[in-house]
């Protein structure tokens, strides 16, 4: 997959200057500004056809980075190169090769129907009518939106509108697509459908995806690589499979008891193994256990108290990312 | 080679802009007809406004024969031109007002990432011909019924110069409003600034004839505060009262400065634009 980088980010920094409020007259006579480093010396490359998740807690600098990559805001320092262009120059050749979908902002005109919106995009991006029709058919079939073509955007539900936003963003066959929380606020069915759509289209058209999301299911389904940033700095950058591999010797076991044993009792058992309590909720303990100690822990836990259910699962991605934050 | 490239770029740029105007007209039609019952009140307001203006002139001219060389018929013609200019200006004015919201809520993001001249697209996003005709045409017809065109001595030169001034004036006036609205990038919000610009425009542009003002005031109101460049100046030229060559030269300079200011303000605003957070 790795051929040439389509996105090259080197020592990227963005500082925002915001006014601290001290009262009307003080603000005028002696304004007090705070400098906030939203992105701090960030460097990474993204290669053609890669699907990269850009993760981090709120305020980590993910969206600011995405906006610098798409040319919306100007960097304070460092360089950005996307498809051979400096994004902020906003060259037509650059803009016609990228797409941006924001889960909380609509790029479609609310009073137009879906069909009219697509036709507007066809004109703006000068898409060949035959290719346009083929793409609309293909994507509306994939996202089950064929029946929504003549309904004004304002009358669509959030999930239906997001599907139209995604289709519109793919119509001009972008080489790089930036997705900022595309499944935010959607129901589980819509989320599933959108993730599958993104994966299918991404692999079919070899689009480079940069996804920002707090939903780890989005990341697991759509992405191959994870870049984690915290306080504007990169704290992790590797493939999703490598990240999972570091946790391959560990499992989460959920013990559901008929009557919840005291915490001290559970802790005294786990002390003897490579295991620890993650959470305790209702009648259950969620325990992290190494594969080698699995049998021993299960035997010890079930010896004194009645167990209703045991559920063994892989360490969730959320926990892996949380560990990265703690370590970083 | 370089010249050919520049000419091609210029032609492509013009084609794109014409296409955007066509789309602006087409999609404004869809927008306007999306709310078919909205706008009836606008129609009543504009006709009432015309009738009140005509009534006021009638009362004034009972006491005066002419005001600043304007007879009652000239004044009615001035009202007609000012009204037409107002409706032409409103074709794009409301698109610009959206800018304040785009800047504050980050709506600009989805426009700036499209391969189009963004400011031109924003200004011409909806060209509501339907709304203009529905709200404006009846009022303009009412106005014109009260004008005795036989009493006005039109010449081809004055008509042509008047139309040129009207077109340049619309652009200059649009830039005046644009500068007030784009201040949102620096101040965070520009509703008061755009409201003030609108109030000044409305207070002067359609109410006081150009030739009534003294020389310094005239110059001020077509350069520094260019709210007289549409209706008042165009009427003066149509009626053959002003020196059209002199006025066109001054307005041409104002026009060029307006283009430069608009470009500078937009480029600078984009550099400053931080985009609303997600």
């Amino acid at each position: 997959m790795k051929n040439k980088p389509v996105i090259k980010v080197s020592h990227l920094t963005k500082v925002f200057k915001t006014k601290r409020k001290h009262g009307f007259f003080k603000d005028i006579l002696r304004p007090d500004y705070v400098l906030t480093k939203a992105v701090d010396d960030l460097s990474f490359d993204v290669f053609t056809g890669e699907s990269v998740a850009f993760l981090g807690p709120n305020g980590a600098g993910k969206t600011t980075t995405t906006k610098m990559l798409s040319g919306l805001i100007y960097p304070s320092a460092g360089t950005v190169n996307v498809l051979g262009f400096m994004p902020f120059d906003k060259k037509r050749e650059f803009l016609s090769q990228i797409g941006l979908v924001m889960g909380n902002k609509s790029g479609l005109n609310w009073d137009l129907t879906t069909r009219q919106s697509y036709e507007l995009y066809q004109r703006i991006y000068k898409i060949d009518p035959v290719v346009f029709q083929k793409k609309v058919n293909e994507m509306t079939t994939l996202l089950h939106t064929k029946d929504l073509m003549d309904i004004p955007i304002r009358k669509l539900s959030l999930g239906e509108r997001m599907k139209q936003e995604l289709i519109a963003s793919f119509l001009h066959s972008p080489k790089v697509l930036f997705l900022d929380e595309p499944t935010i606020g959607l129901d589980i069915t819509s989320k599933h459908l959108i993730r599958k759509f993104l994966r299918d289209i991404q692999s079919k058209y070899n689009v480079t995806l940069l996804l920002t999301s707090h939903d780890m299911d989005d990341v697991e389904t759509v992405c191959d690589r994870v870049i984690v940033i915290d306080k504007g700095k990169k704290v992790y950058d590797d493939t999703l499979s490598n990240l999972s591999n570091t946790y391959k010797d560990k499992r989460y076991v959920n013990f559901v008891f008929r009557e919840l044993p005291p915490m001290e009792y559970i802790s005294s058992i786990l002390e003897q193994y490579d295991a620890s309590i993650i959470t305790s909720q209702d009648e259950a303990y969620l325990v992290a256990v190494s594969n080698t100690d699995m049998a021993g822990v299960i035997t010890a836990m079930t010896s004194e108290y009645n167990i209703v259910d045991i559920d063994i699962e892989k360490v969730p991605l959320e926990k892996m990312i949380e560990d990265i934050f703690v370590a970083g | 080679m370089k010249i050919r490239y520049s000419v091609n770029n210029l032609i492509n740029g013009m084609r794109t802009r014409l296409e955007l105007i066509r789309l602006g007209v087409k999609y404004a039609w869809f927008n306007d007809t999306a709310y078919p019952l909205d706008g009836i009140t606008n129609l009543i307001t504009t006709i009432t406004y015309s009738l009140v203006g005509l009534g006021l002139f009638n009362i004034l001219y009972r006491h005066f024969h002419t005001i600043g060389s304007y007879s009652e018929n000239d004044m009615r013609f001035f009202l007609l031109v000012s009204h037409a200019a107002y409706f032409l200006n409103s074709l794009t004015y409301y698109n610009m007002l959206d800018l304040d919201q785009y800047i504050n809520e980050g709506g600009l993001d989805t426009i700036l990432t499209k391969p189009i001249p963004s400011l031109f697209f924003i200004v011409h996003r909806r060209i509501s011909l339907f709304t203009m005709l529905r709200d404006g045409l009846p009022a303009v017809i009412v106005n014109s019924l009260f004008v005795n065109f036989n009493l006005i001595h039109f010449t081809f030169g004055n008509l042509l110069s008047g139309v040129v001034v009207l077109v340049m004036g619309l652009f200059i006036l649009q830039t005046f409003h644009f500068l007030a609205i784009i201040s949102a990038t620096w101040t965070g919000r520009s509703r008061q600034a755009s409201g003030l610009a609108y109030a000044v425009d409305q207070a002067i542009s359609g109410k006081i004839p150009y030739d009534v003002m003294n020389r310094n005031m005239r110059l001020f109101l077509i350069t520094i505060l260019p709210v007289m460049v549409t209706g008042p100046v165009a009427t003066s030229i149509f009626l053959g009262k002003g020196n059209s060559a002199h006025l066109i030269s001054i307005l041409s300079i104002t026009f060029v400065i307006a283009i430069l200011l608009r470009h500078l303000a937009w480029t600078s605003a984009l550099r400053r634009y931080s985009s609303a957070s997600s």
Side-chain angles (χ1 to χ4, degrees), chain B residues 125-144:
Chain B
R125 204 173 186 198
R126 286 187 304 266
I127 302 175
S128 300
L129 285 178
F130 172 77
T131 303
M132 188 193 74
L133 293 176
R134 183 196 59 199
D135 299 349
L137 193 61
V140 169
I141 289 171
V142 167
N143 272 330
S144 60

Side-chain angles (χ1 to χ4, degrees), chain A residues 213-231:
Chain A
S213 180
H214 287 289
D215 191 327
M216 291 306 126
D217 290 335
D218 287 356
V219 176
E220 283 188 293
T221 317
V222 179
C223 301
D224 311 308
R225 180 179 154 197
V226 179
I227 296 175
V228 182
I229 62 168
D230 192 18
K231 296 186 184 100

Side-chain angles (χ1 to χ4, degrees), chain A residues 37-49:
Chain A
K37 239 182 200 176
V39 176
D40 189 2
D41 198 29
L42 192 65
S43 299
F44 62 88
D45 287 351
V46 177
F47 295 86
T48 308

Side-chain angles (χ1 to χ4, degrees), chain A residues 78-89:
Chain A
T79 57
V80 187
N81 190 300
V82 181
L83 294 159
F85 296 92
M86 154 67 185
F88 195 77
D89 288 346

Side-chain angles (χ1 to χ4, degrees), chain A residues 14 16 63 67 70 72-74 88 90 92-93 95-96 98 100 102 104-109 111-112 116-117 119-121 123-126 154 180-181, chain B residues 5 13 16-17 19-20 22-23 26-27 30-31 34-35 105-110 112-117 121 125-126 270-271 273-278:
Chain A
K14 179 69 191 179
F16 287 113
T63 304
K67 284 175 179 173
S70 54
L72 285 172
I73 53 178
Y74 199 79
F88 195 77
K90 293 188 177 62
R92 301 269 168 82
E93 296 84 352
L95 295 173
S96 57
I98 65 154
L100 173 70
M102 299 174 122
N104 55 356
K105 286 172 197 164
S106 179
L108 303 173
N109 188 324
D111 293 324
L112 301 186
Q116 289 160 356
S117 300
E119 282 169 7
L120 180 64
Y121 274 63
R123 296 281 179 183
I124 286 175
Y125 289 97
K126 300 181 171 75
R154 70 186 140 86
D180 190 10
E181 309 218 30
Chain B
Y5 178 75
T16 308
R17 282 168 173 79
E19 177 66 7
L20 288 177
R22 196 185 71 78
L23 292 172
K26 182 178 172 184
Y27 293 111
F30 296 135
N31 269 313
Y35 308 99
E105 294 173 12
L108 210 52
D109 294 359
T110 56
L112 293 176
T113 46
K114 289 190 174 67
I116 42 174
F121 178 70
R125 204 173 186 198
R126 286 187 304 266
L270 287 186
R271 270 201 167 250
Y273 177 62
S274 58
S275 172
S277 186
S278 60

Side-chain angles (χ1 to χ4, degrees), chain B residues 14-272:
Chain B
M14 283 172 73
R15 268 195 197 142
T16 308
R17 282 168 173 79
L18 284 174
E19 177 66 7
L20 288 177
I21 288 176
R22 196 185 71 78
L23 292 172
V25 173
K26 182 178 172 184
Y27 293 111
W29 168 260
F30 296 135
N31 269 313
D32 293 344
T33 50
Y35 308 99
L37 290 177
D38 185 42
I40 299 298
T41 48
N42 279 353
L43 175 66
I44 298 167
T45 308
T46 52
I47 291 180
T48 308
Y49 185 85
S50 294
L51 293 174
V52 168
L54 291 165
L56 187 68
F57 291 152
N58 187 259
I59 294 166
L60 275 174
Y61 280 94
R62 278 184 207 161
H63 305 285
F64 304 99
H65 190 61
T66 56
I67 300 173
S69 83
Y70 279 64
S71 67
E72 186 178 4
N73 193 55
D74 291 343
M75 210 58 127
R76 287 173 179 169
F77 180 70
F78 166 58
L79 191 66
L80 170 68
V81 176
S82 295
H83 250 144
Y86 170 80
F87 290 118
L88 286 171
N89 185 49
S90 68
L91 277 177
T92 54
Y93 176 73
Y94 295 100
N95 291 334
M96 283 198 301
L97 274 188
D98 291 344
L99 251 177
D100 181 72
Q101 200 183 344
Y102 288 161
I103 290 166
N104 277 302
E105 294 173 12
L108 210 52
D109 294 359
T110 56
I111 295 170
L112 293 176
T113 46
K114 289 190 174 67
I116 42 174
S118 44
L119 180 57
F120 190 87
F121 178 70
I122 290 165
V123 174
H124 299 89
R125 204 173 186 198
R126 286 187 304 266
I127 302 175
S128 300
L129 285 178
F130 172 77
T131 303
M132 188 193 74
L133 293 176
R134 183 196 59 199
D135 299 349
L137 193 61
V140 169
I141 289 171
V142 167
N143 272 330
S144 60
L145 288 175
F146 285 87
V147 177
N148 185 346
F149 288 93
N150 292 324
L151 295 177
I152 300 171
H153 178 63
F154 289 117
T155 66
F156 176 73
N158 286 346
L159 279 176
L160 187 67
S161 307
V163 170
V164 170
V165 163
L166 194 60
V167 172
M168 283 201 296
L170 284 169
F171 182 85
I172 293 166
L173 190 63
Q174 195 190 67
T175 304
F176 170 69
H177 287 295
F178 168 74
L179 292 176
I181 294 165
I182 199 68
S183 65
T185 325
W186 287 269
T187 58
R189 191 186 247 192
S190 64
R191 276 184 210 163
Q192 299 294 328
S194 60
L196 177 66
Y198 184 80
V200 171
D201 173 17
Q202 288 304 298
I204 301 171
S205 68
K207 304 214 170 38
I208 309 165
Y210 177 70
D211 305 275
V212 171
M213 302 276 181
N214 68 41
R215 203 172 155 219
N216 292 337
M217 205 62 184
R218 282 183 204 172
L219 191 65
F220 178 72
L221 291 172
I222 61 172
T223 52
I224 311 291
L225 190 70
V227 290
M228 276 217 152
V229 286
T230 50
V233 176
T235 305
S236 176
I237 292 175
F238 280 135
L239 294 174
K241 291 183 188 293
N243 179 340
S244 56
H246 176 68
L247 278 171
I248 287 178
S249 339
I250 295 175
L251 284 181
S252 299
I253 296 167
T254 314
F255 181 68
V256 172
I257 291 171
I259 294 174
L260 293 174
L261 274 179
R262 179 192 285 236
H263 178 75
L264 273 174
W266 183 238
T267 316
S268 166
L270 287 186
R271 270 201 167 250
R272 213 187 141 75

